[in-house]
Amino acid sequence: MNRWDERYSQNGYAYGTEPNQFLVEQVNALNLAAPLNILSLGEGEGRNAVYLATLGHHVHAVDGSSVGMAKAHKLAEQNRVSLQTQVADLTHYTINSPCDAVIMIFCHLPSDVRHAIHQKIMDALVPGGVLIYQAYSTRQLNYQTGGPREADLLVNLDELEQCFSNMNVLHGCMSEKEIYEGKYHTGLAAVTEFVARKPFE
Ligand SMILES: C[S@@+](CC[C@H](N)C(=O)[O-])C[C@H]1O[C@@H](n2cnc3c(N)ncnc32)[C@H](O)[C@@H]1O
């Protein structure tokens, strides 16, 4: 059992059942017309995938935790929506179908794995497809409110601007904001936010 399986084996939902606030804001701002094919990487226990599915999108949720993915199904059932889930390690992950949108919400990977995934996202997005990304930045090491304690796992804006330099940036910032999500995201935090659209060519 990996550490995420252990976390998700506890009672309740580790990050709650409400969707991530930044995701909700960006989905509203982008006015994404359903149904889109949306890929969620590092989806966890399903809160964001279920939210997108309730809007009528087809969501493919991927996570390394089988416990998380099982709970995602349960949450989907409770909300009378369906999800496609996949238990997979993103270290060796291939994105098999084109995506209208990709979301990465607090999916913290080692930098080499992250860079490879960023390239795969670029390749998988259809022209006009969007990426919605929120992660703790290296400044989060100054806070004790969630996220990994290793700098290599944290994400700064310059990295995303470089990796996605072929995309049109709609929103990019590093900021400090209050984030309360379940038991593990517990207050003022330093985050990187990034939203970009793949050009129509
Ligand atoms: C902090 S949780 C965030 C979960 C979800 N995105 C949310 O916001 O509720 C990070 C998630 O990334 C997943 N993850 C981390 N490394 C992974 C990897 N190499 N392959 C697949 N999933 C991974 C974990 O299993 C965990 O569910």
Side-chain angles (χ1 to χ4, degrees):
M1 189 178 264
N2 70 30
R3 64 178 277 254
W4 294 104
D5 282 336
E6 274 174 34
R7 177 167 291 190
Y8 296 151
S9 295
Q10 294 170 17
N11 282 337
Y13 282 74
Y15 302 98
T17 53
E18 292 300 313
N20 171 264
Q21 196 53 44
F22 175 69
L23 174 66
V24 173
E25 284 163 17
Q26 293 306 316
V27 165
N28 288 336
L30 289 162
N31 205 9
L32 300 177
L36 297 180
N37 290 320
I38 303 184
L39 174 67
S40 173
L41 297 173
E43 169 57 40
E45 297 170 297
R47 64 190 179 113
N48 296 319
V50 166
Y51 160 69
L52 293 168
T54 59
L55 299 180
H57 298 294
H58 301 304
V59 188
H60 184 93
V62 183
D63 201 281
S65 167
S66 57
V67 179
M69 291 289 84
K71 284 174 90 173
H73 270 298
K74 197 167 144 201
L75 190 61
E77 217 174 274
Q78 282 163 7
N79 285 272
R80 296 190 173 78
V81 293
S82 63
L83 298 177
Q84 193 180 28
T85 60
Q86 183 180 10
V87 178
D89 185 347
L90 295 173
T91 311
H92 313 290
Y93 189 64
T94 304
I95 306 178
N96 282 320
S97 6
C99 308
D100 299 309
V102 176
I103 70 165
M104 292 265 286
I105 305 293
F106 295 119
C107 177
H108 290 275
L109 302 166
S111 54
D112 55 339
V113 175
R114 193 165 70 234
H115 294 152
I117 275 287
H118 289 168
Q119 185 56 53
K120 291 173 191 174
I121 292 171
M122 258 307 291
D123 295 343
L125 279 169
V126 300
V130 293
L131 168 67
I132 301 176
Y133 203 124
Q134 187 182 51
Y136 289 115
S137 73
T138 53
R139 293 182 198 156
Q140 179 63 5
L141 293 173
N142 299 319
Y143 297 91
Q144 303 285 339
T145 52
R149 308 314 296 161
E150 272 171 70
D152 186 61
L153 296 173
L154 299 163
V155 187
N156 290 339
L157 185 59
D158 56 347
E159 175 188 328
L160 297 183
E161 285 172 341
Q162 262 176 33
C163 289
F164 298 105
S165 61
N166 293 335
M167 290 178 68
N168 298 323
V169 179
L170 306 174
H171 171 88
C173 77
M174 288 175 70
S175 66
E176 264 113 66
K177 54 162 64 172
E178 301 276 349
I179 298 186
Y180 295 95
E181 300 179 316
K183 235 163 96 174
Y184 294 96
H185 291 168
T186 58
L188 190 65
V191 292
T192 296
E193 297 173 342
F194 189 74
V195 181
R197 188 185 292 283
K198 188 166 174 176
F200 286 95
E201 281 154 334

